Amino acid sequence: MKKLFSAALALTIGLSTYAQSPVDLKIKPEIGKPIVMNMIVKTDVEGPQNLIMDMNMKMDMKATAFENELYTIDNTTKSIKVDINADMMTMSYNSEEEPADEIGKALAEQFSKIIDQTVTLKMDNKGNAVEVNLPDSFKEQGFDQSSFANITTALPEKAVSVGESWESTIDTEANPMLSKTVTTSTFTADSADGYVINVVGKLFDKAGAEIGSMNGKYVLDKATCLSKSGEVTTSVE
């Protein structure tokens, strides 16, 4: 019994040590093979006109080339579901359903223009988008390059273990309100579903003043380190 207990203890310690081994998180997509991503974006803007918007986007991400240490990744929007509350007025749209009222039809007129449209990113192996090319249909709906800066989370320069954190700065100069977002990411779990990264951040305006915050969670595909799913909540004062 004593030997059995000792063997079990040794196995437990061994597995624990293995699970806590540092992981070098680098994106390494297979060229031409798509990965499905579900992205949930929640936005709360306080001001003269308050706005709360919940958006759920399903996208296909596919690497098409690897040149000069950069991946070219096509990100195609396949479906959108959005709920908007603007000064007590509520609106909803679901690209997979027929609009039920005039407001829904108006939203469909806007958002349907970006379904099956592709945003092309050039990204290094640490998830930093160094170039974002938007189709005109996205620009017409108010999206800019910074809208896709958090399509995947920035990865650490060195290998990390569960519980370790790192900081990143996202340039959002293309956004009319923001200049940058400073984030702290934490590798919170190595699960069967993927690597789980929690992110918190601060938003700064063009004058350098802090005007909001964000928090989110990403689940990275273990084979490619691309985001399988993401949920980001942003609050702006």
Side-chain angles (χ1 to χ4, degrees):
M1 179 63 74
K2 184 176 180 180
K3 290 183 178 179
L4 181 61
F5 175 77
S6 298
L9 180 61
L11 178 62
T12 300
I13 293 173
L15 289 174
S16 175
T17 302
Y18 174 78
Q20 294 175 8
S21 297
V23 179
D24 190 6
L25 300 171
K26 294 180 178 179
I27 69 166
K28 43 187 180 294
E30 182 178 337
I31 302 299
K33 183 177 181 179
I35 181 172
V36 176
M37 179 184 182
N38 290 303
M39 188 74 185
I40 298 173
V41 180
K42 300 182 179 183
T43 305
D44 185 352
V45 179
E46 296 182 5
Q49 184 177 22
N50 295 332
L51 173 70
I52 299 174
M53 182 171 69
D54 292 350
M55 181 182 293
N56 191 333
M57 303 175 70
K58 181 181 290 185
M59 297 169 281
D60 281 350
M61 297 181 71
K62 181 172 67 174
T64 60
F66 180 66
E67 298 178 5
N68 301 320
E69 302 302 317
L70 294 175
Y71 288 98
T72 299
I73 296 178
D74 285 348
N75 186 342
T76 304
T77 302
K78 306 305 291 184
S79 67
I80 297 175
K81 181 179 180 182
V82 60
D83 295 307
I84 301 171
N85 187 325
D87 283 343
M88 306 305 292
M89 182 179 180
T90 59
M91 299 168 278
S92 297
Y93 168 69
N94 186 341
S95 64
E96 297 180 331
E97 298 176 357
E98 289 295 323
D101 52 33
E102 292 304 315
I103 293 177
K105 290 178 182 178
L107 290 175
E109 175 67 19
Q110 286 185 294
F111 286 106
S112 63
K113 296 177 182 178
I114 64 177
I115 301 297
D116 291 327
Q117 297 297 302
T118 298
V119 175
T120 300
L121 305 95
K122 289 189 181 294
M123 187 177 292
D124 65 20
N125 65 7
K126 289 300 182 179
N128 299 301
V130 299
E131 183 179 321
V132 180
N133 293 313
L134 296 176
D136 290 339
S137 56
F138 274 80
K139 296 175 183 177
E140 291 168 1
Q141 302 311 314
F143 290 93
D144 56 47
Q145 286 87 345
S146 65
S147 303
F148 290 84
N150 60 357
I151 202 70
T152 186
T153 184
L155 301 175
E157 292 299 322
K158 63 181 183 66
V160 290
S161 300
V162 171
E164 288 193 275
S165 300
W166 60 96
E167 293 188 354
S168 305
T169 299
I170 302 169
D171 180 7
T172 52
E173 286 292 343
N175 187 290
M177 293 176 58
L178 305 175
S179 63
K180 64 180 180 180
T181 302
V182 178
T183 65
T184 299
S185 304
T186 303
F187 183 15
T188 56
D190 180 350
S191 70
D193 192 40
Y195 299 127
V196 181
I197 312 294
N198 281 9
V199 182
V200 296
K202 297 178 180 180
L203 282 59
F204 296 88
D205 66 12
K206 302 298 185 183
E210 183 180 337
I211 61 167
S213 63
M214 62 83 68
N215 65 80
K217 182 179 79 171
Y218 295 84
V219 179
L220 309 185
D221 176 68
K222 286 189 173 183
T224 66
C225 277
L226 287 174
S227 299
K228 295 168 57 177
S229 64
E231 182 170 347
V232 176
T233 299
T234 301
S235 298
V236 179
E237 299 177 358

